[in-house]
Amino acid sequence: MKEQDMQITLSTTKKEKPKAEQLEFGKTFTDHMFIMDYTQGQGWHDPRIVPYQPLELEPSSMIFHYGQSVFEGLKAYVTDEDEVILFRPEKNFQRLNNSNDRLCIPHVDVDYALKALKTLISIDNDWIPRAEGTSLYIRPFIIATEPYLGVSPSDRYKFIIIMSPVGSYYKEGIHPVKIAVESSFTRAVNGGTGEAKTGGNYASSLKAQEVSEKLGYSQVLWLDGVEKKYIEEVGSMNVFFKINGEIITPALNGSILPGITRDSIIELLKHWNLPVSEKRISMQDVYDAYKSGQLEEAFGTGTAAVISPIGEFLWNGEEMVVQNGETGELSKKLYETLTGIQTGKIQDELGWTTKVEEKITL
Ligand code: COI
Protein backbone atom coordinates (compact mmCIF):
# COMPACT_ATOMS: atom_id res chain seq x y z
CA MET A 1 0.00 0.00 0.00
CA LYS A 2 1.33 3.42 -0.91
CA GLU A 3 1.43 6.39 1.42
CA GLN A 4 -0.59 8.56 -0.97
CA ASP A 5 -3.50 6.13 -0.64
CA MET A 6 -4.23 7.59 2.78
CA GLN A 7 -7.24 9.89 3.04
CA ILE A 8 -7.06 12.59 5.71
CA THR A 9 -10.19 14.22 7.09
CA LEU A 10 -9.41 16.78 9.75
CA SER A 11 -11.65 17.49 12.69
CA THR A 12 -13.45 20.83 12.52
CA THR A 13 -13.35 21.18 16.29
CA LYS A 14 -10.50 20.79 18.75
CA LYS A 15 -11.15 19.19 22.11
CA GLU A 16 -9.86 20.81 25.25
CA LYS A 17 -6.65 19.21 26.48
CA PRO A 18 -6.38 18.13 30.10
CA LYS A 19 -3.79 19.88 32.28
CA ALA A 20 -0.63 17.86 32.93
CA GLU A 21 -1.43 17.42 36.64
CA GLN A 22 -4.88 16.04 35.80
CA LEU A 23 -3.64 13.41 33.38
CA GLU A 24 -4.71 9.90 34.19
CA PHE A 25 -3.94 6.77 32.22
CA GLY A 26 -6.05 6.25 29.10
CA LYS A 27 -9.08 8.43 29.78
CA THR A 28 -8.70 11.23 27.20
CA PHE A 29 -8.18 10.77 23.47
CA THR A 30 -6.66 13.02 20.82
CA ASP A 31 -8.63 14.68 18.00
CA HIS A 32 -7.89 12.08 15.31
CA MET A 33 -7.49 8.36 14.74
CA PHE A 34 -6.21 6.10 11.97
CA ILE A 35 -8.34 3.33 10.47
CA MET A 36 -7.96 0.83 7.67
CA ASP A 37 -10.09 -2.12 6.69
CA TYR A 38 -9.30 -5.65 5.62
CA THR A 39 -11.49 -7.71 3.36
CA GLN A 40 -10.58 -11.23 2.35
CA GLY A 41 -9.49 -11.29 -1.29
CA GLN A 42 -8.72 -7.56 -1.25
CA GLY A 43 -6.25 -7.25 1.64
CA TRP A 44 -5.88 -4.09 3.72
CA HIS A 45 -7.56 -1.10 2.08
CA ASP A 46 -8.99 2.38 2.61
CA PRO A 47 -6.39 3.74 5.05
CA ARG A 48 -7.64 6.99 6.51
CA ILE A 49 -7.16 9.49 9.29
CA VAL A 50 -10.46 10.79 10.58
CA PRO A 51 -11.70 12.73 13.63
CA TYR A 52 -11.77 10.50 16.75
CA GLN A 53 -15.32 9.12 16.78
CA PRO A 54 -17.47 6.12 17.73
CA LEU A 55 -17.39 3.09 15.43
CA GLU A 56 -20.46 1.76 13.73
CA LEU A 57 -20.43 -2.04 13.84
CA GLU A 58 -23.06 -4.70 13.39
CA PRO A 59 -23.98 -6.38 16.70
CA SER A 60 -23.13 -9.67 14.98
CA SER A 61 -19.51 -8.53 14.39
CA MET A 62 -17.29 -11.42 15.46
CA ILE A 63 -15.21 -9.34 17.87
CA PHE A 64 -18.24 -9.06 20.20
CA HIS A 65 -18.72 -12.82 20.39
CA TYR A 66 -15.40 -14.60 20.17
CA GLY A 67 -12.91 -11.89 21.08
CA GLN A 68 -10.73 -12.13 17.95
CA SER A 69 -8.59 -9.06 18.53
CA VAL A 70 -5.02 -7.95 19.17
CA PHE A 71 -3.50 -4.73 20.45
CA GLU A 72 -0.25 -2.90 21.16
CA GLY A 73 0.90 -0.07 23.41
CA LEU A 74 3.74 2.39 22.72
CA LYS A 75 4.57 5.97 23.58
CA ALA A 76 5.63 9.26 21.91
CA TYR A 77 7.57 11.99 23.73
CA VAL A 78 8.65 15.55 22.94
CA THR A 79 12.31 16.40 23.55
CA ASP A 80 13.58 19.71 24.95
CA GLU A 81 14.52 20.54 21.33
CA ASP A 82 10.85 20.15 20.40
CA GLU A 83 11.41 16.94 18.45
CA VAL A 84 8.86 14.14 18.66
CA ILE A 85 10.34 10.69 19.27
CA LEU A 86 9.04 7.15 19.45
CA PHE A 87 10.67 4.31 21.38
CA ARG A 88 11.37 1.12 19.31
CA PRO A 89 8.03 1.41 17.44
CA GLU A 90 8.90 -1.23 14.81
CA LYS A 91 9.11 -3.79 17.65
CA ASN A 92 5.48 -3.08 18.51
CA PHE A 93 4.27 -3.66 14.96
CA GLN A 94 6.39 -6.81 14.67
CA ARG A 95 4.87 -8.08 17.91
CA LEU A 96 1.41 -7.13 16.61
CA ASN A 97 2.04 -9.47 13.68
CA ASN A 98 3.15 -12.26 16.06
CA SER A 99 -0.10 -11.80 17.96
CA ASN A 100 -1.94 -11.75 14.60
CA ASP A 101 -0.46 -15.15 13.75
CA ARG A 102 -1.75 -16.63 17.01
CA LEU A 103 -5.22 -15.13 16.55
CA CYS A 104 -5.51 -15.99 12.79
CA ILE A 105 -5.55 -12.30 11.84
CA PRO A 106 -3.76 -11.11 8.66
CA HIS A 107 -0.43 -9.29 9.07
CA VAL A 108 -0.13 -5.55 8.65
CA ASP A 109 2.86 -4.09 6.80
CA VAL A 110 5.23 -2.88 9.55
CA ASP A 111 6.65 0.02 7.50
CA TYR A 112 3.22 1.18 6.42
CA ALA A 113 1.82 0.98 9.96
CA LEU A 114 4.76 3.07 11.19
CA LYS A 115 4.21 5.65 8.44
CA ALA A 116 0.51 5.84 9.28
CA LEU A 117 1.35 6.30 12.97
CA LYS A 118 3.87 9.05 12.22
CA THR A 119 1.31 10.89 10.08
CA LEU A 120 -1.29 10.61 12.85
CA ILE A 121 1.19 11.91 15.43
CA SER A 122 2.15 14.79 13.13
CA ILE A 123 -1.48 15.84 12.97
CA ASP A 124 -2.09 15.54 16.71
CA ASN A 125 1.41 16.54 17.85
CA ASP A 126 0.11 19.33 20.10
CA TRP A 127 -1.51 16.58 22.21
CA ILE A 128 1.86 15.23 23.40
CA PRO A 129 2.20 16.38 27.00
CA ARG A 130 5.57 17.76 28.10
CA ALA A 131 5.53 17.58 31.87
CA GLU A 132 7.85 15.11 33.60
CA GLY A 133 6.33 11.61 33.76
CA THR A 134 3.80 12.27 30.98
CA SER A 135 3.69 11.03 27.38
CA LEU A 136 1.37 10.26 24.50
CA TYR A 137 0.25 6.64 24.82
CA ILE A 138 -0.52 5.02 21.46
CA ARG A 139 -2.91 2.11 21.16
CA PRO A 140 -2.93 0.27 17.79
CA PHE A 141 -5.46 -2.58 17.67
CA ILE A 142 -7.25 -4.92 15.28
CA ILE A 143 -10.78 -6.25 15.62
CA ALA A 144 -12.74 -8.90 13.70
CA THR A 145 -15.73 -7.24 12.00
CA GLU A 146 -17.40 -9.94 9.91
CA PRO A 147 -21.09 -10.19 10.86
CA TYR A 148 -21.22 -13.95 11.54
CA LEU A 149 -21.97 -16.15 14.54
CA GLY A 150 -20.01 -19.22 13.45
CA VAL A 151 -16.69 -19.86 15.17
CA SER A 152 -14.01 -19.30 12.53
CA PRO A 153 -11.50 -16.57 11.66
CA SER A 154 -13.29 -13.43 10.47
CA ASP A 155 -13.03 -12.44 6.80
CA ARG A 156 -13.05 -8.71 7.69
CA TYR A 157 -11.05 -6.61 10.15
CA LYS A 158 -10.40 -3.04 11.18
CA PHE A 159 -6.92 -1.83 12.15
CA ILE A 160 -7.23 1.30 14.27
CA ILE A 161 -4.77 3.56 16.06
CA ILE A 162 -5.97 5.85 18.85
CA MET A 163 -3.81 8.02 21.09
CA SER A 164 -4.14 9.28 24.64
CA PRO A 165 -2.06 11.80 26.63
CA VAL A 166 -1.15 10.02 29.87
CA GLY A 167 0.40 10.42 33.29
CA SER A 168 1.66 7.42 35.23
CA TYR A 169 -0.14 4.09 34.98
CA TYR A 170 -0.25 3.45 38.72
CA LYS A 171 -1.50 6.05 41.15
CA GLU A 172 1.74 5.34 43.06
CA GLY A 173 3.80 6.84 40.14
CA ILE A 174 7.45 5.77 40.57
CA HIS A 175 6.72 4.83 44.20
CA PRO A 176 6.68 1.09 44.95
CA VAL A 177 3.51 -0.91 44.32
CA LYS A 178 2.21 -3.82 46.37
CA ILE A 179 1.61 -7.06 44.49
CA ALA A 180 -0.35 -10.14 45.58
CA VAL A 181 0.94 -13.51 44.34
CA GLU A 182 -1.99 -15.33 42.71
CA SER A 183 -2.31 -18.94 43.77
CA SER A 184 -5.82 -19.86 42.52
CA PHE A 185 -6.56 -18.22 39.18
CA THR A 186 -4.49 -18.86 36.05
CA ARG A 187 -3.62 -16.28 33.38
CA ALA A 188 -2.13 -18.50 30.70
CA VAL A 189 -0.58 -21.87 29.97
CA ASN A 190 1.96 -23.00 27.43
CA GLY A 191 0.16 -23.43 24.10
CA GLY A 192 -2.51 -20.88 25.06
CA THR A 193 -2.54 -17.20 24.09
CA GLY A 194 -0.36 -15.89 26.93
CA GLU A 195 2.43 -14.60 24.71
CA ALA A 196 0.01 -12.81 22.35
CA LYS A 197 -1.27 -9.35 23.18
CA THR A 198 -4.97 -10.12 22.95
CA GLY A 199 -7.88 -8.78 24.94
CA GLY A 200 -8.96 -12.16 26.29
CA ASN A 201 -5.79 -12.48 28.39
CA TYR A 202 -6.67 -9.25 30.13
CA ALA A 203 -10.39 -10.07 30.50
CA SER A 204 -9.51 -13.33 32.24
CA SER A 205 -7.17 -11.49 34.63
CA LEU A 206 -9.82 -9.13 35.98
CA LYS A 207 -11.28 -11.40 38.65
CA ALA A 208 -7.93 -12.01 40.32
CA GLN A 209 -7.12 -8.32 40.15
CA GLU A 210 -10.46 -7.43 41.74
CA VAL A 211 -9.79 -9.81 44.63
CA SER A 212 -6.25 -8.46 45.16
CA GLU A 213 -7.41 -4.83 45.03
CA LYS A 214 -9.88 -5.54 47.84
CA LEU A 215 -6.89 -6.69 49.90
CA GLY A 216 -5.06 -3.42 49.13
CA TYR A 217 -2.75 -4.69 46.36
CA SER A 218 -2.34 -2.99 42.96
CA GLN A 219 -2.03 -6.09 40.80
CA VAL A 220 -1.31 -9.80 40.93
CA LEU A 221 1.83 -11.78 40.20
CA TRP A 222 0.93 -14.72 37.99
CA LEU A 223 2.46 -18.13 38.54
CA ASP A 224 2.62 -20.90 35.95
CA GLY A 225 -0.77 -22.42 35.25
CA VAL A 226 0.24 -26.04 35.83
CA GLU A 227 2.21 -26.27 39.07
CA LYS A 228 1.52 -22.75 40.41
CA LYS A 229 5.19 -22.58 41.32
CA TYR A 230 7.09 -20.65 38.68
CA ILE A 231 6.85 -16.90 38.21
CA GLU A 232 5.41 -15.61 34.94
CA GLU A 233 4.44 -11.91 34.95
CA VAL A 234 2.44 -9.21 36.73
CA GLY A 235 -0.98 -7.99 35.42
CA SER A 236 0.36 -5.36 33.02
CA MET A 237 4.12 -5.81 33.37
CA ASN A 238 7.00 -8.26 33.15
CA VAL A 239 8.87 -8.75 36.39
CA PHE A 240 12.53 -8.65 37.51
CA PHE A 241 14.22 -9.58 40.81
CA LYS A 242 17.65 -8.58 42.08
CA ILE A 243 18.90 -11.45 44.20
CA ASN A 244 22.37 -11.30 45.70
CA GLY A 245 23.58 -9.00 42.91
CA GLU A 246 22.10 -11.03 40.04
CA ILE A 247 19.16 -9.60 38.10
CA ILE A 248 16.72 -12.31 37.08
CA THR A 249 13.59 -12.27 34.95
CA PRO A 250 11.50 -15.34 34.03
CA ALA A 251 12.59 -16.81 30.69
CA LEU A 252 10.00 -16.52 27.91
CA ASN A 253 8.20 -19.86 27.81
CA GLY A 254 5.21 -19.39 25.50
CA SER A 255 2.84 -18.09 28.15
CA ILE A 256 4.69 -14.88 29.10
CA LEU A 257 4.26 -11.65 27.13
CA PRO A 258 7.57 -10.77 25.39
CA GLY A 259 7.68 -7.19 26.66
CA ILE A 260 9.57 -4.57 24.68
CA THR A 261 10.49 -2.76 27.90
CA ARG A 262 11.58 -6.15 29.30
CA ASP A 263 13.87 -6.64 26.31
CA SER A 264 15.21 -3.06 26.62
CA ILE A 265 16.03 -3.54 30.31
CA ILE A 266 17.89 -6.79 29.60
CA GLU A 267 19.87 -5.01 26.84
CA LEU A 268 20.60 -2.04 29.09
CA LEU A 269 21.82 -4.24 31.95
CA LYS A 270 24.08 -6.16 29.53
CA HIS A 271 25.34 -2.83 28.17
CA TRP A 272 26.28 -1.89 31.75
CA ASN A 273 27.98 -5.28 32.23
CA LEU A 274 25.64 -6.20 35.06
CA PRO A 275 24.78 -9.88 35.58
CA VAL A 276 21.31 -10.43 34.11
CA SER A 277 19.70 -13.76 33.36
CA GLU A 278 16.47 -15.03 31.89
CA LYS A 279 15.61 -18.27 33.64
CA ARG A 280 12.87 -20.23 35.33
CA ILE A 281 12.45 -18.88 38.84
CA SER A 282 9.99 -20.12 41.43
CA MET A 283 8.17 -18.13 44.07
CA GLN A 284 9.90 -20.36 46.61
CA ASP A 285 13.30 -19.17 45.25
CA VAL A 286 12.19 -15.56 45.75
CA TYR A 287 10.86 -16.35 49.22
CA ASP A 288 14.09 -18.09 50.24
CA ALA A 289 16.10 -15.10 48.99
CA TYR A 290 13.79 -12.81 50.96
CA LYS A 291 14.21 -14.87 54.14
CA SER A 292 17.99 -14.92 53.82
CA GLY A 293 18.13 -11.17 53.16
CA GLN A 294 19.27 -11.63 49.55
CA LEU A 295 16.18 -10.24 47.82
CA GLU A 296 17.55 -6.79 47.14
CA GLU A 297 14.96 -5.40 44.72
CA ALA A 298 11.96 -6.30 42.59
CA PHE A 299 10.42 -4.25 39.82
CA GLY A 300 7.97 -4.52 36.95
CA THR A 301 8.55 -3.32 33.39
CA GLY A 302 6.01 -2.31 30.74
CA THR A 303 5.23 0.41 28.24
CA ALA A 304 2.43 1.84 30.32
CA ALA A 305 4.13 1.30 33.69
CA VAL A 306 7.76 1.95 32.47
CA ILE A 307 9.67 0.72 35.57
CA SER A 308 7.55 0.13 38.60
CA PRO A 309 9.38 -0.80 41.81
CA ILE A 310 7.65 -3.49 43.89
CA GLY A 311 7.68 -2.77 47.62
CA GLU A 312 5.76 -5.80 48.86
CA PHE A 313 4.54 -9.23 47.83
CA LEU A 314 1.72 -11.08 49.53
CA TRP A 315 2.29 -14.84 49.26
CA ASN A 316 0.46 -17.55 51.19
CA GLY A 317 -0.79 -14.93 53.64
CA GLU A 318 2.72 -13.58 54.37
CA GLU A 319 3.70 -9.99 53.58
CA MET A 320 7.19 -9.88 52.09
CA VAL A 321 8.45 -6.30 52.26
CA VAL A 322 11.22 -5.62 49.73
CA GLN A 323 13.81 -2.85 50.21
CA ASN A 324 11.83 -1.48 53.22
CA GLY A 325 8.99 -0.72 50.79
CA GLU A 326 11.19 1.92 49.11
CA THR A 327 12.51 2.33 45.58
CA GLY A 328 15.82 0.53 45.14
CA GLU A 329 18.87 2.09 43.50
CA LEU A 330 18.79 -0.15 40.44
CA SER A 331 15.07 0.46 39.79
CA LYS A 332 15.69 4.20 40.09
CA LYS A 333 18.69 4.13 37.76
CA LEU A 334 16.81 2.04 35.19
CA TYR A 335 13.77 4.33 35.37
CA GLU A 336 15.90 7.44 34.93
CA THR A 337 17.95 5.97 32.10
CA LEU A 338 15.01 4.56 30.20
CA THR A 339 12.83 7.67 30.50
CA GLY A 340 15.94 9.78 29.78
CA ILE A 341 16.47 7.91 26.49
CA GLN A 342 12.76 8.01 25.69
CA THR A 343 12.55 11.78 26.21
CA GLY A 344 15.86 12.53 24.44
CA LYS A 345 17.56 13.76 27.65
CA ILE A 346 20.08 10.90 27.65
CA GLN A 347 22.05 9.96 24.57
CA ASP A 348 20.47 6.98 22.81
CA GLU A 349 23.57 4.80 22.51
CA LEU A 350 21.53 1.72 21.64
CA GLY A 351 19.72 3.33 18.69
CA TRP A 352 16.24 2.80 20.08
CA THR A 353 14.49 6.07 19.27
CA THR A 354 12.90 7.13 15.99
CA LYS A 355 12.08 10.72 15.12
CA VAL A 356 8.71 11.82 13.80
CA GLU A 357 10.13 14.31 11.31
CA GLU A 358 7.09 15.99 9.90
CA LYS A 359 4.82 18.40 11.75
CA ILE A 360 1.41 19.18 10.30
CA THR A 361 0.07 22.42 11.73
CA LEU A 362 -3.66 22.87 11.47
C1 COI B 1 1.30 -1.55 27.99
O1 COI B 1 2.14 -1.53 28.87
O2 COI B 1 1.33 -0.82 27.00
C2 COI B 1 0.19 -2.48 28.03
O3 COI B 1 -0.30 -2.84 27.02
C3 COI B 1 -0.36 -2.85 29.33
C4 COI B 1 -1.78 -2.42 29.36
C5 COI B 1 -2.68 -3.53 29.49
C6 COI B 1 -2.06 -1.17 30.08
Side-chain angles (χ1 to χ4, degrees):
M1 194 176 299
K2 289 188 238 72
E3 202 179 356
Q4 55 267 33
D5 292 335
M6 198 188 305
Q7 295 286 320
I8 300 182
T9 311
L10 297 179
S11 170
T12 49
T13 53
K14 281 194 162 199
K15 286 182 284 192
E16 202 176 316
K17 299 180 182 62
K19 297 200 172 55
E21 60 280 7
Q22 292 165 348
L23 281 178
E24 291 179 79
F25 183 83
K27 295 219 167 157
T28 323
F29 300 94
T30 68
D31 287 323
H32 297 89
M33 63 186 193
F34 170 82
I35 310 193
M36 71 178 170
D37 299 301
Y38 177 92
T39 310
Q40 206 166 32
Q42 197 182 347
W44 289 105
H45 58 92
D46 288 316
R48 56 209 183 269
I49 288 177
V50 293
Y52 180 90
Q53 60 193 277
L55 299 174
E56 192 170 301
L57 290 176
E58 294 210 28
S60 53
S61 297
M62 295 180 86
I63 175 59
F64 297 134
H65 306 277
Y66 309 121
Q68 198 194 1
S69 72
V70 292
F71 71 93
E72 272 303 320
L74 67 161
K75 283 176 172 173
Y77 303 82
V78 190
T79 66
D80 291 341
E81 287 72 43
D82 219 23
E83 281 174 338
V84 175
I85 50 178
L86 291 165
F87 184 73
R88 309 185 84 185
E90 62 295 332
K91 289 254 170 221
N92 289 90
F93 291 117
Q94 284 156 4
R95 187 174 62 182
L96 187 78
N97 279 337
N98 293 340
S99 302
N100 283 341
D101 282 338
R102 182 63 181 83
L103 273 290
C104 300
I105 295 174
H107 278 198
V108 292
D109 183 286
V110 170
D111 293 337
Y112 188 80
L114 192 50
K115 265 186 198 162
L117 171 61
K118 287 183 174 178
T119 310
L120 181 64
I121 294 175
S122 304
I123 291 174
D124 277 346
N125 72 71
D126 56 346
W127 277 89
I128 310 173
R130 285 157 187 269
E132 168 111 34
T134 65
S135 58
L136 185 70
Y137 184 78
I138 299 156
R139 172 54 59 88
F141 63 104
I142 301 178
I143 52 171
T145 53
E146 181 185 351
Y148 176 49
L149 296 184
V151 179
S152 66
S154 174
D155 67 9
R156 270 161 263 182
Y157 299 90
K158 279 189 189 301
F159 172 45
I160 303 176
I161 307 178
I162 55 173
M163 307 195 295
S164 169
V166 297
S168 60
Y169 185 70
Y170 293 111
K171 65 174 179 7
E172 290 88 343
I174 175 67
H175 301 295
V177 290
K178 290 166 67 178
I179 302 288
V181 181
E182 179 54 56
S183 301
S184 320
F185 295 108
T186 296
R187 175 188 170 271
V189 286
N190 196 354
T193 57
E195 68 179 353
K197 214 157 166 61
T198 183
N201 292 340
Y202 296 80
S204 72
S205 75
L206 297 177
K207 189 72 200 170
Q209 185 169 326
E210 188 180 73
V211 174
S212 72
E213 274 171 8
K214 283 196 183 127
L215 297 172
Y217 291 80
S218 303
Q219 288 201 354
V220 301
L221 176 73
W222 294 106
L223 301 179
D224 77 277
V226 179
E227 297 181 76
K228 291 277 189 287
K229 269 190 186 168
Y230 300 102
I231 294 171
E232 301 237 308
E233 62 180 81
V234 174
S236 59
M237 313 186 284
N238 293 111
V239 65
F240 286 73
F241 302 90
K242 182 167 174 239
I243 298 179
N244 198 19
E246 183 188 6
I247 304 128
I248 304 167
T249 191
L252 299 178
N253 60 358
S255 54
I256 296 177
L257 185 87
I260 293 161
T261 312
R262 173 190 182 278
D263 180 72
S264 309
I265 293 304
I266 295 171
E267 289 302 308
L268 209 49
L269 292 167
K270 285 185 181 161
H271 187 65
W272 291 341
N273 286 322
L274 289 177
V276 54
S277 45
E278 299 173 71
K279 61 184 181 197
R280 195 159 80 153
I281 175 167
S282 69
M283 196 55 214
Q284 188 65 47
D285 295 334
V286 173
Y287 183 78
D288 292 344
Y290 163 73
K291 277 293 186 196
S292 63
Q294 295 189 324
L295 177 59
E296 294 159 15
E297 284 186 46
F299 57 90
T301 63
T303 299
V306 193
I307 304 291
S308 184
I310 300 173
E312 185 185 316
F313 291 102
L314 176 70
W315 188 47
N316 289 341
E318 191 170 339
E319 292 169 2
M320 301 162 50
V321 176
V322 188
Q323 183 73 30
N324 294 320
E326 283 160 21
T327 303
E329 254 174 56
L330 179 68
S331 312
K332 191 161 178 284
K333 184 172 172 198
L334 286 169
Y335 176 83
E336 282 168 0
T337 309
L338 194 65
T339 54
I341 296 172
Q342 288 170 334
T343 54
K345 291 187 174 69
I346 292 181
Q347 205 192 339
D348 174 18
E349 287 173 15
L350 293 149
W352 282 337
T353 53
T354 300
K355 274 189 206 152
V356 179
E357 307 283 359
E358 200 185 350
K359 263 197 187 174
I360 300 178
T361 315
L362 304 180

